[in-house]
Every structure is written in C-alpha cells, then in structure tokens.
Amino acid sequence: MKYFLVATTIALTGLFVGSGVGSYFTSSKLLKQFQNIPGSPIILNATYDKDEHLITYTVSNPGTVPITVIEKAFVFTPGKESKEKEYVVSSIPANITIPPISVALIKLKLKEGTESLKYGDLIVATFTYKHSLSKDIYTVAHSFKYTSEKVEKARGNEGKNKEGASK
Amino acid sequence: MSVQGTIQWLLVILLASMLFLAFTGMFISTLLITFSAEGLAFLFGFLGALVFANKLLFGYGSFVITAEAFLANKEIDRRKLVKKTKEPEERTQNLSIPSLLMLWLQSLDYYRYAYYGLFTLMLILMLLSKFNLLGALIIGNYLEGAFWGASVVTFFVFALELTAKYLMDRIIEEVVL
C-alpha cells in the first residue's frame, strides 16, 4: 500500500512537471505567433459635430500589430434637404497610429465654407493605412448617412425588435 | 559462426543504433530549444538548480542504493557509512547500521531545506511576475522558463527523497521493530 502511494505521488508529480514544461514552451511559441497578426481596422461609430463641422470616427484595431492611417479622403453627396453641391476631397494627410487591440478616434474635417450637414446627406470616407509587416497600402471605406437622432433611435429599436423576433 | 551468435550480434547492432539515434535526437532537440530565449532561460534554470541540488541528488541516490543493499541482506561497508553520517567516531562506535542510516538521512535535511527554500523563492518571483508586479512582459516569461527548468531538477530530488524515506520506514519496520 505504502509502496503504491509513493509510486503514485512520484508519477503524478512527474506528469505535472512535464505538462508544465510542455505548456510553457507551447504557450511562449504561440504568444510569439500571436504578436504578428495584422488586423484591418473596424469603424465602430461615426458622429457629426455641428460646431466644429467635422465627423469623428471611432476606429478599432483588432490585430496585434499597430496600424498607421496615412491618408484620409471623402466624397460628399447631398441629400434632398441640402442645397450644397456634391464635392470630393482627397489625399488629406494623416499620421494616426492605432495601437494593437485598442480604439482610436479619427477626425475628418469637412470642406471649409460649406454649410453644415442636413439630414439625408451621405459621406463616404476612405482611410488609407499600412502596417509594419508589409510595404503594401490598404484602404477601408465607410459610408455615413446623416440622419436625425429620432430616426436613428427608431432604426435602432426596429433592429432590436427584429432581433428579438428572430430569436 | 553459429546462428545464435549472428542473431546476438544483430541485436547488439540494433541496440547500439537505437541508442545512437536516441542520443542524437536528444542532442538536436536540446540545440533547437536553446535557439530561443525561453529555451536558454530554461537551460540556465535547470543548470543552476542542478548545481544546488547536486549534494541532494547524489546523497539520496547513494542512500537508496545502500538501503536496498541492506534490505537484501548484503554486506555494507560500515566505515564508509560512518563517514557519510559526518558524526564523530566516538558517537557512532556502538551504533547499529539502521541507526547509522538514520543519521545519514538526517544529515541531508539541511541541504533539502536550503534547496526547497530557494525553489520556493523562485516560485514566488515567478508568480509575482505572472501577476504583473515585476513586469510580466519584460522578464516574466524568462523567469517562468527558469522556474520550469528548476522544477525538473526538483522533481528528481522529490522522487529520490520520497524513495529514501520509504526505504528508511521499511528498514525500521522490518529490522528494528
């Protein structure tokens, strides 16, 4: 009985130490691999600031490599209520680095002298970005339709109701 | 040459080649492990612990061999055993072999406590770094590697210690009582 106890204790300790050593090497290798996954930015939210005449984008970087936004560009398409003409502004220099697994705010200033956004106006913004792992340049496009808060809320509720109904 | 002799030689060659392959594999995998910084930390922890545990490994190892020989009713060199206990000659004159073995086991306790103390210190440092109190990203991973290297040695110390105490118990049960 005692012999069995001693042998079992030694065997279990050996298993524990072996699994610890093995998982240490595996996890350190895995950590190194995970540190080199570039992610493409996800635009979570866009809000229009009437006083400053700019749009603020909340951009998330889901990867584990920092992303640098080099350039911004946008196309303005007027809605039914607006008297402004359609215009394009491209190659606005930007140098915003989004750290890995975090969120940054990118501000897009609209053309000076133009009147403030009306409901129904559409702005399609294009961000050009790169990361340290390659020399390529990538773009991400986001369309933003300026709508009243009531409409947005109603839409959100509709969406929620639909989700609830589908469940 | 007879058939039996040929087969024996073939078996010897097979065994030799297996041993050669095993050692080559061990050598190459050790090299591959030490290429990474974590592997180097592991190796340093292992070697450091080996230096500290040297006395314990050889002490418990030779104790186990002697105790097994005693239990198998083989003759034991009494003068060697007296030397191992590190007690003065006058004290050990009238002692029996089981009590000499007991003294030998007790003399190893100091080294055991020192070794386990150092190992516990290493464990605490590793855990502190794991909880991000000592910079988990900078040195935490390497501290953990050194800890696992030391834990391999500690496993052998622990196993030998348990075996030695088990044999001592058997000697007390079978011979003394």
Side-chain angles (χ1 to χ4, degrees), chain A residues 34-110:
Chain A
F34 269 122
Q35 277 164 354
N36 287 318
I37 299 177
S40 83
I42 297 167
I43 293 161
L44 301 171
N45 191 22
T47 48
Y48 174 58
D49 190 342
K50 230 169 201 175
D51 303 327
E52 305 260 338
H53 197 43
L54 53 78
I55 300 172
T56 312
Y57 291 93
T58 314
V59 187
S60 150
N61 177 9
T64 47
V65 169
I67 281 174
T68 311
V69 177
I70 320 162
E71 267 182 12
K72 299 179 280 190
F74 70 93
V75 178
F76 171 80
T77 316
K80 279 174 188 173
E81 292 177 35
S82 183
K83 288 167 190 169
E84 197 66 48
K85 281 182 183 174
E86 186 178 301
Y87 65 86
V88 178
V89 179
S90 59
S91 308
I92 312 166
N95 190 20
I96 302 157
T97 306
I98 313 172
I101 321 178
S102 57
V103 168
L105 295 174
I106 297 179
K107 284 174 179 172
L108 189 72
K109 211 159 175 76
L110 297 175

Side-chain angles (χ1 to χ4, degrees), chain A residues 2-7 9-25 27-29 31-32 35, chain B residues 33 36-39 41-42 137 141-146 148-149 151-152 155 158-160 162-163 165-166 169-170 173:
Chain A
K2 203 164 188 185
Y3 179 80
F4 173 77
L5 270 178
V6 167
T9 314
I10 291 172
L12 284 177
T13 320
L15 279 176
F16 172 71
V17 169
S19 77
V21 171
S23 62
Y24 166 67
F25 278 112
S27 68
S28 64
K29 261 184 200 169
L31 206 72
K32 269 181 194 161
Q35 277 164 354
Chain B
I33 282 173
S36 67
E38 283 88 1
F42 181 88
L137 294 171
N141 208 15
Y142 305 116
L143 276 180
E144 201 194 341
W148 283 120
S151 71
V152 171
F155 165 64
F158 179 67
L160 280 170
L162 272 187
T163 316
K165 284 186 173 164
Y166 164 72
D169 277 7
R170 259 184 69 189
E173 271 176 21

